[in-house]
Amino acid sequence: MTSYPRYAIYYAPPTRKPLARFGAALLGYDALSGNDVAFPKDAVATAPDWHELTQDPRKYGFHATLKAPFALAPGTTEAELLAACADFARQPREIPVIKPAVHAISGFIAVVPAERSPTLQALAQDCVEAFDAFRAPLSAEDRARRKPETLTPRQVEQLDRWGYPYVGEDFRFHMTLTGRMNDSRQRPILAMLRARFDALALTSVAIDRIALFRQEDAAARFRIIKQDALTAR
């Protein structure tokens, strides 16, 4: 059985900045305050079932995964994990900067880098490795939930080594905006989301912080409990 609370290391845009407000409004949830947020009128007009369409990503808040959700390993504590986040952030590194775009990927819509960034790939793998000592081993139930029969051999190996299949070469930075839908539904929703995103006039986003999220139990949404700014080299 899955143990709780669970934690995750995510990128979340700075609170009250346009990108953060954009994501919180579309998901209907602010992961820092824990409060619901009213949906944009054009989202509901385009998809009257917008609440249901965003139900899955709403649980996690607007974010990009760096270290996927995990329960704490025996003998480790939340206080130690908080300290490890601060230590990680203090290490000087090149700060990834991406050109953001809104695209459909694997049946859902997300904010993604317009181009692959080796610096961002390296940051994500650093997070995967640096915090793995805090991760409890996957239960058989959790492993089965990842449907290893649908994964590539490399992804199965990564699932067993790191608790998550989409790391290393299989990592793809994305900030999810919707649940999965078929292609015919995607077209008008993608057009609406791109129009909303274009209005932000964001030409670049610095991935300059990590956020520690916590989920209290299976029914709870993830909440931000701490954010640490990364130290530029």
Side-chain angles (χ1 to χ4, degrees), residues 53-67:
L53 187 60
T54 55
Q55 182 174 347
D56 287 343
R58 185 179 308 114
K59 180 177 182 179
Y60 299 91
F62 187 54
H63 77 280
T65 298
L66 297 172
K67 178 73 173 174

Side-chain angles (χ1 to χ4, degrees), residues 113-227:
E115 300 174 349
R116 185 178 177 87
S117 165
T119 306
L120 181 53
Q121 298 292 124
L123 172 63
Q125 190 60 28
D126 285 349
C127 284
V128 167
E129 297 179 14
F131 298 105
D132 205 56
F134 291 94
R135 179 181 63 85
L138 282 180
S139 67
E141 177 187 17
D142 288 335
R143 188 180 188 278
R145 192 176 294 115
R146 291 291 181 186
K147 298 181 179 179
E149 68 277 6
T150 69
L151 302 174
T152 67
R154 181 175 69 189
Q155 290 167 349
V156 172
E157 182 179 348
Q158 291 166 169
L159 174 64
D160 292 334
R161 173 62 184 89
W162 303 111
Y164 189 59
Y166 306 112
V167 302
E169 290 299 311
D170 293 293
F171 170 75
R172 186 170 184 182
F173 182 96
H174 61 277
M175 306 183 73
T176 305
L177 297 171
T178 72
R180 296 183 187 277
M181 66 192 100
N182 61 40
D183 290 346
S184 62
R185 280 215 76 188
Q186 278 184 12
R187 284 190 288 273
I189 293 171
L190 181 58
M192 179 273 295
L193 290 173
R194 282 177 168 167
R196 288 189 60 83
F197 189 75
D198 288 347
L200 301 181
L202 285 177
T203 58
S204 65
V205 173
I207 311 305
D208 60 357
R209 63 197 57 235
I210 58 172
L212 181 62
F213 281 58
R214 179 174 62 203
Q215 182 192 31
E216 295 298 337
D217 55 54
R221 296 173 183 170
F222 279 79
R223 291 276 308 271
I224 296 173
I225 60 172
K226 187 174 188 283
Q227 298 184 73

Side-chain angles (χ1 to χ4, degrees), residues 13-36:
T15 308
R16 293 184 292 276
K17 293 292 186 179
L19 182 57
R21 294 197 302 268
F22 170 84
L26 287 166
L27 296 186
Y29 172 56
D30 182 336
L32 183 63
S33 68
N35 295 330
D36 289 339

Side-chain angles (χ1 to χ4, degrees), residues 87-127:
D87 289 343
F88 182 91
R90 278 193 290 267
Q91 300 171 23
R93 67 183 71 243
E94 184 178 352
I95 303 299
V97 178
I98 65 168
K99 180 182 179 182
V102 173
H103 287 300
I105 56 171
S106 303
F108 60 91
I109 298 171
V111 178
V112 300
E115 300 174 349
R116 185 178 177 87
S117 165
T119 306
L120 181 53
Q121 298 292 124
L123 172 63
Q125 190 60 28
D126 285 349
C127 284

